[in-house]
Amino acid sequence: MASSKVVLFTSKTLKNGEHPIMLRLIQNRNIKYINLHASCLPDLWDEENNLPKKQHPHFHQLKVLIRSRLLESEKAILELEQENRPYTLEELCKRMAIEQKRQQTSVLQYFEAVINRLNLSGRLGYAAVFTSTRNYLLNFREGRDFEFADITHSFIVGFDEYLLRRGLKPNAAFVPIRTFKTLLNYAKKEGFVRVEYNPFKEFSFTKYRRDKPVKRALSREDIRKIELLELTPGTPEYHAKNYFIFSYYCAGINFIDLAYLRWENIQNGRLVYVRRKTKEQLSPIILEPAKVILKYYQNEFPNLAGYIFPILDEKHQSLKSKDYRIDKVLRQVNKALKEIAQQIGIESKLTTYVARHSFATNLKKKGVATALISQALGHESERTTQIYLDSFENEIIDEAVKSLL
């Protein structure tokens, strides 16, 4: 069993004549010293109690520091001993560092760290979800920060009730609750909380599963109405129609992925791109209606810094400027789609997302297996289905997609 003790390290003398205060760890005659970044003159050190003498000008501060570091070491030793397995002093030091990290980082501070990482990696949309969740928690706590130890089952229930009191529907409240749980999983992996820590264990997600969102999908007939609608080229409605139809015939590609498409993404009759949400590479076949749309943009917009659609160009260099631009265009496109829906008598709300959902729904109506549809969409959440689909070849998906024609 390891032991810990605070000592005045007299083997080293600092320029001011003081000696460093060290935490000494001993195990099987192996010794390791940890610098507490504090020092003391030898005549002000109490050898019997391993503390500075009371006349030391910083006696109280040093006493707190020493006792806290001793407590950390004793706690780490106890945890490792309870695991009933061999361990080294190096592992003990790592366990102590994790414990110190836990104590120094609050939940909202950790939120900020995760948000910064997501922004730096270009996942601006996901960063916005975490920012929104952090803000909900900040309001729930009335502006007060909190520690991971404060997160209990009753804390989560209270946060859930707070979201519903704000008027959020279960589907909307589910997003911050799920994101909060994801943050805790990140914290586990990084050592901010212990692996066995799970305040969500007794929390039920049943009500969220019960309250399923209203499915919005257009029939094949309504899709044809949009395709046959004659609009003036270059108008917002004309572009909105093209983006919608292109998404529908290209396996329901998301608008953000569509905006980032370059001509180099077209390879051997396929649209080869990495889905920004899941980082998974997809390669749907390009059907004839989509080819017609591509030809139009190739002729009319040849100088867009390689981009296919007139959404991004060379002016948009930073991730933030691209994100802002895509968000602005998306609002314009959805507004134009709303006007298109009114023109052709579609009563349901028409947005770019409806193209993706219509793609999946119409394949399902054709009798295509859900597993194939899941793979074509690049769904990450359907893990079991995705594992089963790993053996499917592109040709099988191609035949399924061609059934739309």
Side-chain angles (χ1 to χ4, degrees):
M1 180 175 178
S3 62
S4 62
K5 180 180 180 180
V6 171
V7 298
L8 191 66
F9 194 69
T10 55
S11 298
K12 181 176 181 180
T13 304
L14 305 177
K15 290 181 180 180
N16 59 4
E18 296 182 346
H19 301 300
I21 300 174
M22 299 277 202
L23 178 67
R24 186 177 67 194
L25 304 174
I26 302 177
Q27 182 197 45
N28 300 328
R29 297 183 181 179
N30 294 317
I31 301 175
K32 191 173 184 65
Y33 289 94
I34 298 176
N35 195 337
L36 300 190
H37 302 289
S39 58
C40 181
L41 289 168
D43 58 348
L44 289 178
W45 184 257
D46 184 348
E47 288 286 350
E48 185 178 346
N49 295 308
N50 296 311
L51 285 171
K53 294 178 180 178
K54 290 185 179 180
Q55 56 265 40
H56 193 292
H58 305 297
F59 169 73
H60 293 291
Q61 296 95 316
L62 290 172
K63 182 180 178 181
V64 170
L65 171 66
I66 290 169
R67 289 190 172 175
S68 65
R69 295 310 301 272
L70 272 174
L71 183 62
E72 287 171 14
S73 64
E74 291 168 359
K75 188 174 182 181
I77 290 170
L78 180 60
E79 287 179 0
L80 289 169
E81 290 290 337
Q82 288 177 339
E83 292 176 11
N84 196 27
R85 62 175 179 80
Y87 63 90
T88 63
L89 286 181
E90 184 178 354
E91 188 176 359
L92 173 58
C93 290
K94 287 181 180 179
R95 187 68 64 97
M96 289 172 59
I98 290 172
E99 184 62 34
Q100 194 172 25
K101 187 166 64 171
R102 290 170 184 163
Q103 295 176 7
Q104 292 175 350
T105 305
S106 70
V107 176
L108 296 184
Q109 286 173 338
Y110 186 63
F111 256 106
E112 288 296 335
V114 171
I115 291 166
N116 288 336
R117 284 206 304 267
L118 290 171
N119 279 323
L120 288 172
S121 64
R123 303 180 69 184
L124 304 186
Y126 203 31
V129 174
F130 275 83
T131 301
S132 174
T133 301
R134 180 205 60 192
N135 293 340
Y136 277 128
L137 282 163
L138 192 59
N139 289 330
F140 169 61
R141 293 278 301 168
E142 297 179 345
R144 292 173 289 115
D145 203 346
F146 57 105
E147 309 299 323
F148 284 103
D150 294 321
I151 306 172
T152 61
H153 173 73
S154 59
F155 181 102
I156 295 167
V157 170
F159 180 48
D160 179 53
E161 292 173 348
Y162 159 79
L163 294 171
L164 296 176
R165 283 199 307 272
R166 284 179 60 97
L168 271 68
K169 294 182 179 179
N171 286 327
F174 173 67
V175 176
I177 290 290
R178 179 192 60 194
T179 306
F180 191 24
K181 184 177 181 181
T182 299
L183 182 97
L184 289 182
N185 288 335
Y186 288 166
K188 284 183 184 181
K189 291 179 182 178
E190 294 187 53
F192 286 95
V193 294
R194 295 185 181 84
V195 175
E196 63 273 13
Y197 174 68
N198 185 15
F200 277 90
K201 185 176 181 180
E202 302 298 328
F203 184 80
S204 175
F205 285 88
T206 304
K207 63 183 175 187
Y208 299 121
R209 299 189 187 98
R210 233 181 0 241
D211 191 63
K212 295 181 179 179
V214 177
K215 302 298 183 184
R216 296 179 307 192
L218 297 184
S219 65
R220 184 70 190 90
E221 291 72 25
D222 283 338
I223 295 292
R224 287 295 294 165
K225 287 181 184 178
I226 297 175
E227 284 186 84
L228 297 173
L229 181 64
E230 294 187 5
L231 297 166
T232 304
T235 61
E237 289 78 16
Y238 184 80
H239 289 305
K241 168 191 167 182
N242 284 344
Y243 300 156
F244 184 92
I245 295 300
F246 185 85
S247 172
Y248 177 76
Y249 282 114
C250 286
I253 182 172
N254 282 315
F255 186 79
I256 186 170
D257 292 321
L258 180 146
Y260 272 97
L261 287 179
R262 294 175 178 268
W263 290 108
E264 64 193 40
N265 292 118
I266 299 175
Q267 301 173 18
N268 300 319
R270 315 189 74 84
L271 196 62
V272 181
Y273 70 100
V274 175
R275 192 178 177 209
R276 299 186 71 81
K277 183 176 181 180
T278 62
K279 306 302 180 185
E280 179 186 1
Q281 180 172 296
L282 301 177
S283 57
I285 187 173
I286 302 175
L287 299 179
E288 191 58 35
K291 290 180 181 178
V292 173
I293 292 172
L294 288 174
K295 187 175 181 180
Y296 168 79
Y297 286 101
Q298 190 172 34
N299 293 333
E300 297 297 324
F301 298 91
N303 301 311
L304 292 173
Y307 291 107
I308 294 176
F309 299 106
I311 301 171
L312 298 175
D313 57 33
E314 69 277 355
K315 297 194 300 291
H316 309 104
Q317 295 294 326
S318 69
L319 289 172
K320 283 192 175 181
S321 67
K322 291 176 182 177
D323 188 59
Y324 176 80
R325 170 64 178 169
I326 292 171
D327 187 58
K328 179 181 178 181
V329 175
L330 178 58
R331 290 196 300 270
Q332 295 170 347
V333 169
N334 283 334
K335 181 180 178 182
L337 287 175
K338 182 179 179 181
E339 295 174 4
I340 289 174
Q342 292 174 347
Q343 286 186 49
I344 57 180
I346 294 176
E347 295 182 359
S348 60
K349 186 177 180 181
L350 189 61
T351 66
T352 57
Y353 179 76
V354 174
R356 182 172 173 81
H357 190 71
S358 299
F359 163 79
T361 302
N362 287 326
L363 280 182
K364 186 66 176 176
K365 288 179 179 178
K366 290 283 187 179
V368 178
T370 303
L372 279 173
I373 298 170
S374 175
Q375 187 177 8
L377 289 170
H379 277 163
E380 184 183 41
S381 58
E382 297 183 23
R383 296 174 186 173
T384 304
T385 305
Q386 195 60 49
I387 292 171
Y388 173 76
L389 289 172
D390 283 345
S391 61
F392 280 82
E393 298 293 335
N394 277 328
E395 288 78 8
I396 300 176
I397 298 177
D398 291 348
E399 291 304 315
V401 174
K402 285 177 183 177
S403 70
L404 292 173
L405 295 175

